[in-house]
Amino acid sequence: MSTAEAQIRLTAVNKTYGAHAVLEECNLSIQAGEFVVVVGRSGSGKSTLLNLIGGLDRPTAGVVELLGQSLAGLTEDELSRVRCRRLGFVFQFFNLIPTLTVQENVRLPMALNGASKAQGIRRADLLLRELGLDECGSRFPEELSGGEQQRVAIARALSHRPNIVLADEPTGNLDLETAEEVLALLEQTCRRHGATLVMATHSREVLGTADRVFTIRAARIHEEPP
Amino acid sequence: MNGLLARSGLRFYWRRPWQLCLAVSGIALGVAVYVGVDLANDSARRAFQLTSDLVTGSTTHHLMGTGGEIADSVYRTLRMEHGPVRAAPVIEAEVRLGRLPDRVVTLMGVDPLEESGFRGFSGFVPGRGTDLTRLIVEPGAVLAPAPLLEELGLEAGSEFGLLIGGETRTVRAVGTVLETSSADEGPTAPIIADIATAQELLGRTSLSRVDLILDEAEAERVRALGLPNATLVPAEGRNAAFDELARAFRINLTALSLLALLVGVFLIYATMSFAVVQRRGTFGVLRAIGVSRRQLLTGVLGEALVLGTLATTAGILLGQQLAEGLVDLVLRTIGDLYFESSVSAVTPSPTIYWRGFAMGLGMTLLAAATPALDAARSTPYTAMSRAALERSTRLLALRANWLALPAAAVAATLLLVSSRSLVLAFAGLFFVIATGALLVPSATRLLGRLAEPLAERGFGISGSLAARGMAASLSRTGVATAALSVAVATVVGIGLMISSFRISVEEWLTGTLTADIYVNIDGEQFFDDSHRDALSAIPGVRGSSQTRFVPLPTAAGEVGLRALNPGPDGWGLRMTAGGTEAVERLESAEGVLVSEPLAFNRQLQPGDDLILPTASGEQAFPVLGAFRDYSSNGGTVLMPLSVYRSHWADNDINGIGVYLDDETDREIVLEEMRRVFGAGAPVRFRSNEFIRERSMMIFDRTFRITEVLRILAGAVAFLGLASAVMSIELERGRELAVLRALGLRPRQVRALTLAQTGLLGLAAGLFAIPLGIVMAALLIQVINVRSFGWSMDLEIASQPLALGVVLALSAALLAGIYPAVRAVRVGVAGQLREE
Ligand SMILES: Nc1ncnc2c1ncn2[C@@H]1O[C@H](COP(=O)(O)OP(=O)(O)O)[C@@H](O)[C@H]1O
Ligand SMILES: [Mg+2]
């Protein structure tokens, strides 16, 4: 994979729900290691975009390519493999598995990739320490605050060394101070692990450190000048 | 506000049509199985009663003589001395048909004028008045069962021959009689004649008995008359053979009703409580925005009322359909077993529908109220939190464990005090099941914990997640597992009871039937010692046993006296009291043995005395012990033939058992034996194997209906619980979507779903095993002893147990299929967006 080639590329992507066009003629390419922010009002189509990139949804028209590979021809099974190996997700509502402990949640993507248990535990503990959660490994998600849960979700998204992390309003459910903290952690951790970060948000306050910023307006994507 | 609340409930189902379908069908199936089985049972019970009335009539007492005969004069004396009394003389004898010498039929002589109040069959005679007069005035006039005439190719009015005492006597069928007797081995359909005609045909002047309808005071007066050589016996004892069949059947049906009730109750509870519990979060939000507890409760109960009414009505209609098939089956079985085709459907009593309705609606409301009350009672915050729900469920499960203690105590108390009461015993059984059900949720959690490492090793991450899910979502899985366990345990328990009973009967037959060939002679004739000597002299015969059987009237009811001179292989007894020592003492003529039911009914212990009417008046016989006897529960007394002969001065023999050498050719010996009695003699030869097979066939037929109903209840439980498990699994959509976003493959998602339901089924099946065994033990050691006085050994056959586990597992796996397929089909993005 050469650096010149885009890691994520959308070509003439359209997504419509019935008569309602959410995304029209979207063209986008993101290089490896970039920190990209997608802004837009609520309902503008940010989640839709991220879902298309993550292969959770299929475009009505156009092509989505990840790491030089088009997702269009992939079966569900192959899509899962891509997600499992290459992608990490951070959701607005944390979406941790309630029946697994914090450490187990973090280990889950590694286990899905066939890592050994010992290996998983070692890396999970490392990540949790990095995110300031050393004490929480054996607790269940429900026993953590929102900020802590989102930090666990970040650890989970990075545990299997993905190429790309997709974060959909990861701070939307947190207070301002915590949001800043989580955001900084997310960015730093991704940078440290060399992962591309694509984050959707509706508040412009977090744009400071982003490499590139895209805005969705009237179903079209515009890149903001740096 | 309430309008909006209702709309929210309505939309909940509108959005999840599958949930609505599953809830309605779960409740409806629960009601249907209960109503269906109960309707079938009710009709069977009443059809049975009706038919039984036809046979035994409303007779309350019988006047009987020793040796099965009572003098004509006793009847006349009774009529003259006692004044107006409802009494009907009866003479009964077995005769053969001239045309079909192998067919034995009962010839019953009655007084047509006295009969009407006694037995129902005269009411079915066409052109009754004339026929009855013809019975009295025409010599040789009889009423014959229509099927018999048909078999002989005769119409009403034609003549046919009866073989009586080796002679052919001609009678004329002047009319038909309702067929009220059994097919094969049992008493056959009676031919009815006037008493004088019967006496003339049989060449005797005595009666078999006098049937009476008496109240207690009248019975006392009749006893006080001191009629010579006549004992007044309550009717129940006399018809013991019939009653015991009826009773066995009723117990069977009661157990099945219980099964259906349990299955129904648990099914409805599991279905409805889930429909409510999954909306606890919404309830929390509603409470948070100011809905009062009362409004919330009213809303949920209102919804349950609507849903329950709808589903219960559907269930009753379904149950009605079910019952139609079942009634047919039940009646056919009764007809096959006890009567020939005379049992017809009876309109069921409407209370069953009401009971079904009350059960269905009541359980629906209860099941909805429990989680709704819980949500209303807790703070809005805890109500919103799933974690808090699971925590409180774990607490509830713990509390349920403690509740199991008093439940077990109640069960033990009921079973202990129910020494003779069947109702209390059944209530005890119910509490035992409740105890088991209360323990299941905690056990489920424990099993989930224990299974996790294994599941992880076997199925990787999917297995581990599945095991986790089971332990962690007790609020959903607990009730469903308990319901599934109880249903399966009941199916297993009844299956074990039947197989145990079957094995015990088989063993008993093998032990009792020691001879190779049994020789019997028709009712009115007997063998004597010369026959025994002639049979024993046949080459290849190594010995013989002789039996004399006489019904003895005693004040507490009739008992069968069996006097036996055992063959070379001994008495063939399985002792239940007194041990082998009692058999030795029996042999040295120190007393008598009683059958187990007789010992139970009259509470006889070794060392007690039993008073029997002998030829020289009443005499006390010491009871040495009790032996197992499944052949009747009317009660049998066993004594050596020599003792009988010395007390009753009677040298007749009813049956001879012939023992053969190992290498003897049976056919040759049979040939020789036939020659001893001469051609055409009313003698029957039956091999050991024939009797055993016949007996087992009758056994299997008796329990066929139980089997069918058991399978049916199992099938309904299967469907209902599959639907309960399915709704639980469908609720996990979002969790599965997250896992898919993390990269869980479709195959793994399917495996996870199936592993989750499979584990639940396995858990239920495993808990059902001990619970089923306990149920079987209770049915055998408590219910059966209370009902029949029969003890039997609990045989833990592997087949019913395996069947139970397979049933639970396949119900659960079946339930997983649709959710597994659906979880993969539905878009991840859409599922994540939900809620
Ligand atoms: N499954 C769906 N059916 C119909 N419309 C949808 C669906 N999913 C999203 N939309 C619509 O697409 C638009 C974009 O939604 P979304 O991507 O979630 O916005 P954002 O994440 O920017 O808030 C919204 O107007 C929403 O109503
Ligand atoms: Mg969004």
Side-chain angles (χ1 to χ4, degrees), chain B residues 176-380:
Chain B
T176 53
V177 61
L178 178 71
E179 176 78 76
T180 51
S181 225
S182 119
D184 302 322
E185 289 287 288
T188 38
I191 294 175
I192 309 284
D194 175 55
I195 201 115
T197 311
Q199 284 178 334
E200 199 271 327
L201 286 171
L202 295 167
R204 59 188 246 195
T205 54
S206 60
L207 301 172
S208 298
R209 59 172 200 269
V210 179
D211 289 348
L212 299 135
I213 301 175
L214 303 171
D215 58 31
E216 264 321 299
E218 287 174 321
E220 263 321 300
R221 260 183 289 150
V222 172
R223 273 193 204 100
L225 287 178
L227 296 168
N229 192 21
T231 314
L232 192 67
V233 178
E236 245 176 322
R238 173 65 185 75
N239 278 293
F242 184 85
D243 281 354
E244 96 197 24
L245 286 176
R247 189 140 46 121
F249 212 83
R250 268 202 296 266
I251 297 294
N252 236 319
L253 296 181
T254 309
L256 283 163
S257 279
L258 182 74
L259 179 146
L261 176 67
L262 276 174
V263 169
V265 160
F266 275 84
L267 192 55
I268 295 172
Y269 194 88
T271 307
M272 194 59 206
S273 72
F274 175 72
V276 174
V277 83
Q278 62 174 318
R279 263 177 300 155
R280 240 182 78 121
T282 313
F283 297 156
V285 175
L286 288 171
R287 291 266 290 118
I289 61 173
V291 173
S292 75
R293 290 176 181 191
R294 181 201 290 256
Q295 281 171 319
L296 184 64
L297 262 180
T298 325
V300 172
L301 289 184
E303 172 196 317
L305 192 72
V306 173
L307 199 67
T309 309
L310 203 84
T312 305
T313 311
I316 286 177
L317 293 178
L318 193 65
Q320 173 76 41
Q321 287 302 108
L322 198 66
E324 269 168 33
L326 283 179
V327 166
D328 202 47
L329 178 85
V330 171
L331 295 183
R332 196 133 25 93
T333 310
I334 301 179
D336 276 3
L337 277 176
Y338 310 123
F339 319 103
E340 239 152 55
S341 69
S342 64
V343 190
S344 54
V346 185
T347 332
S349 87
T351 55
I352 291 176
Y353 296 104
W354 287 114
R355 269 214 307 268
F357 198 81
M359 189 282 271
L361 202 55
M363 283 318 291
T364 309
L365 288 176
L366 184 71
T370 319
L373 255 177
D374 187 46
R377 227 187 277 126
S378 39
T379 63

Side-chain angles (χ1 to χ4, degrees), chain A residues 17 47-48 51 56-57 76-77 80-81 83-85 89 91 93 95 97-101 104 107-109 111-112 117 140 142-143 156, chain B residues 387 391 394 452 456 461 464-465 468-469 472-473 734-735 738-748 824 827-830 832-833 835:
Chain A
Y17 289 108
S47 296
T48 306
N51 286 341
L56 298 180
D57 211 348
E76 262 311 301
D77 220 39
S80 327
R81 199 165 315 153
R83 280 201 293 272
C84 173
R85 300 237 174 95
F89 281 93
F91 303 98
F93 298 103
N95 279 337
I97 305 294
T99 56
L100 295 180
T101 63
E104 286 163 343
R107 267 170 46 206
L108 185 59
L112 287 176
K117 192 170 171 179
F140 282 91
E142 73 211 32
E143 297 162 339
R156 183 176 71 179
Chain B
R391 250 195 308 274
R394 279 200 289 280
E452 203 202 324
E456 182 162 16
I461 193 83
S464 152
L465 279 171
R468 265 314 159 80
S473 42
R734 187 183 171 80
E735 199 178 310
V738 172
L739 287 169
R740 285 182 65 199
L742 293 183
L744 210 68
R745 309 245 180 88
R747 185 159 29 85
Q748 286 172 306
V824 179
V828 187
L832 282 173
R833 204 179 283 273
E835 281 166 52

Side-chain angles (χ1 to χ4, degrees), chain B residues 471-534:
Chain B
S473 42
L474 212 54
S475 70
R476 276 84 165 137
T477 51
V479 183
T481 319
L484 193 52
S485 285
V486 166
V488 172
T490 319
V491 174
V492 167
I494 292 185
L496 278 181
M497 176 195 77
I498 298 174
S499 66
S500 296
F501 198 2
R502 196 174 196 282
I503 291 170
S504 292
V505 168
E506 232 168 359
E507 273 174 10
W508 170 77
L509 280 171
T510 310
T512 308
L513 300 172
T514 50
D516 294 298
I517 298 172
Y518 287 87
V519 191
N520 286 87
I521 190 158
D522 284 355
E524 297 300 298
Q525 295 167 63
F526 303 100
F527 299 122
D528 55 40
D529 288 348
S530 68
H531 293 109
R532 173 197 65 192
D533 297 339

Side-chain angles (χ1 to χ4, degrees), chain B residues 397-412:
Chain B
L398 277 178
R399 225 175 290 156
N401 289 343
W402 287 109
L403 262 181
L405 270 177
V410 171

Side-chain angles (χ1 to χ4, degrees), chain B residues 518-583:
Chain B
Y518 287 87
V519 191
N520 286 87
I521 190 158
D522 284 355
E524 297 300 298
Q525 295 167 63
F526 303 100
F527 299 122
D528 55 40
D529 288 348
S530 68
H531 293 109
R532 173 197 65 192
D533 297 339
L535 289 176
S536 301
I538 296 174
V541 173
R542 71 185 159 100
S544 74
S545 63
Q546 301 88 49
T547 313
R548 174 74 173 118
F549 187 84
V550 254
L552 283 185
T554 73
E558 192 184 67
V559 296
L561 169 61
R562 185 181 300 280
L564 179 69
N565 185 23
D569 295 346
W571 294 80
L573 296 174
R574 163 92 189 257
M575 300 303 292
T576 58
T580 45
E581 182 207 352
V583 182

